[in-house]
Amino acid sequence: SAVISQKPSRDICQRGTSLTIQCQVDSQVTMMFWYRQQPGQSLTLIATANQGSEATYESGFVIDKFPISRPNLTFSTLTVSNMSPEDSSIYLCSVEDGVGKGETQYFGPGTRLLVL
Amino acid sequence: RKEVEQDPGPFNVPEGATVAFNCTYSNSASQSFFWYRQDCRKEPKLLMSVYSSGNEDGRFTAQLNRASQYISLLIRDSKLSDSATYLCVVNPSGGSYIPTFGRGTSLIVHP
C-alpha cells in the first residue's frame, strides 16, 4: 500500500490566519482526496485533488475557503483560509489504490488543527 | 435516511467475547464495501473488504446482504487490542469513486 505523510501533524492557529497542509505519497497515484473529521464524527470529503486541474469540491466546501494544489501525482496541499474556531478538526489526505486491491483508500496520519 | 448508518455504540465486551456490528446503506447500486478500523487519534486503516459471498480473515468475518442492504462485521475471541472504532465504507460504483463513510461503531474490550 502507498505510504502517505502529512505536514504539519498538528497546529494551533489564531482566527483569521491560514494554514497550508502538505500531503506526500511515496508513489504516483491518480486519485487524492482531502477529508475532514470533527470530534466524534465520521469523515467528510472536502474535495478531490486533480492533477493539473482544479480540485472538485463537495457540497458545502468552496475553493476560496479550501484552496487545493496538485502539482504532480505524488503531492498535494490543502489550505484552510481565514480560519475560525469551527475549522478546528482533523484534516486527512487519502489516496485510492485500485491496483489489484479494488477501490480501497489509504489515509495519511492526519493534521490536527485547533483554531483559537 | 442517511446514506450509511451505524450504531455508534459503544459496545462494551469482555475479552474472549464474540461481537457483531451491522451497517446499513441506502444506495442499492452500491458496489464495493469495506470495514476500516480507526484507533483513537489515528487515521482510519483498512481492516477488510466485504465480498458478496462473505469473507473471513482470522477472527474477523464480514458479510454482505444485498437484499436488506446491510453489511456486518463479526469479531470472535475479542482481544483488548480490538478496542477501536470500526467504520463502514460504501462505494457507490466501480472504478474511481467517492466512498461514503459511516460514523463508526466504538468497541471497548475489557479484561
Side-chain angles (χ1 to χ4, degrees):
Chain A
S1 61
V3 177
I4 306 166
S5 60
Q6 280 185 239
K7 290 196 296 186
S9 59
R10 62 182 68 237
D11 209 341
I12 301 173
C13 302
Q14 297 295 324
R15 69 172 67 206
T17 63
S18 297
L19 176 72
T20 295
I21 303 168
Q22 298 179 9
C23 177
Q24 180 74 54
V25 190
D26 69 341
S27 58
Q28 292 187 339
V29 292
T30 304
M31 304 292 286
M32 292 182 75
F33 306 93
W34 286 99
Y35 286 86
R36 183 171 73 181
Q37 186 177 30
Q38 295 179 310
Q41 302 298 314
S42 186
L43 287 82
T44 300
L45 181 63
I46 297 172
T48 302
N50 302 308
Q51 193 268 328
S53 65
E54 196 170 283
T56 305
Y57 289 85
E58 297 300 304
S59 175
F61 298 96
V62 295
I63 188 172
D64 289 345
K65 175 67 176 177
F66 296 101
I68 288 171
S69 79
R70 179 90 192 271
N72 55 53
L73 293 176
T74 64
F75 185 79
S76 178
T77 67
L78 169 75
T79 299
V80 186
S81 303
N82 188 24
M83 289 183 283
S84 67
E86 292 71 34
D87 294 321
S88 298
S89 188
I90 300 171
Y91 291 85
L92 293 148
C93 165
S94 79
V95 304
E96 177 188 289
D97 182 356
V99 180
K101 294 182 173 61
E103 302 91 351
T104 54
Q105 284 204 343
Y106 297 92
F107 289 86
T111 296
R112 286 160 180 76
L113 172 62
L114 175 63
V115 184
L116 303 177
Chain B
R1 181 182 175 186
K2 292 182 182 176
E3 290 186 57
V4 177
E5 290 200 65
Q6 293 182 252
D7 180 346
F11 286 64
N12 202 322
V13 303
E15 268 186 293
T18 295
V19 61
F21 313 133
N22 279 347
C23 166
T24 59
Y25 60 95
S26 60
N27 185 349
S28 59
S30 299
Q31 296 284 332
S32 306
F33 308 88
F34 307 90
W35 283 103
Y36 279 70
R37 170 191 169 131
Q38 186 172 26
D39 291 287
C40 186
R41 303 177 69 80
K42 298 286 189 181
E43 73 275 21
K45 292 184 179 178
L46 178 67
L47 177 65
M48 59 195 303
S49 302
V50 185
Y51 302 124
S52 298
S53 55
N55 48 299
E56 191 173 301
D57 182 1
R59 297 181 293 109
F60 299 84
T61 300
Q63 291 192 314
L64 167 64
N65 185 318
R66 285 195 183 272
S68 301
Q69 293 182 207
Y70 75 85
I71 66 172
S72 64
L73 177 68
L74 180 79
I75 305 175
R76 291 182 299 278
D77 188 23
S78 299
K79 310 292 184 190
L80 296 177
S81 57
D82 293 334
S83 299
T85 297
Y86 292 84
L87 303 171
C88 168
V89 182
V90 176
N91 170 13
S93 63
S96 294
Y97 73 119
I98 303 298
T100 301
F101 285 78
R103 195 179 155 189
T105 297
S106 292
L107 171 65
I108 301 170
V109 182
H110 59 83

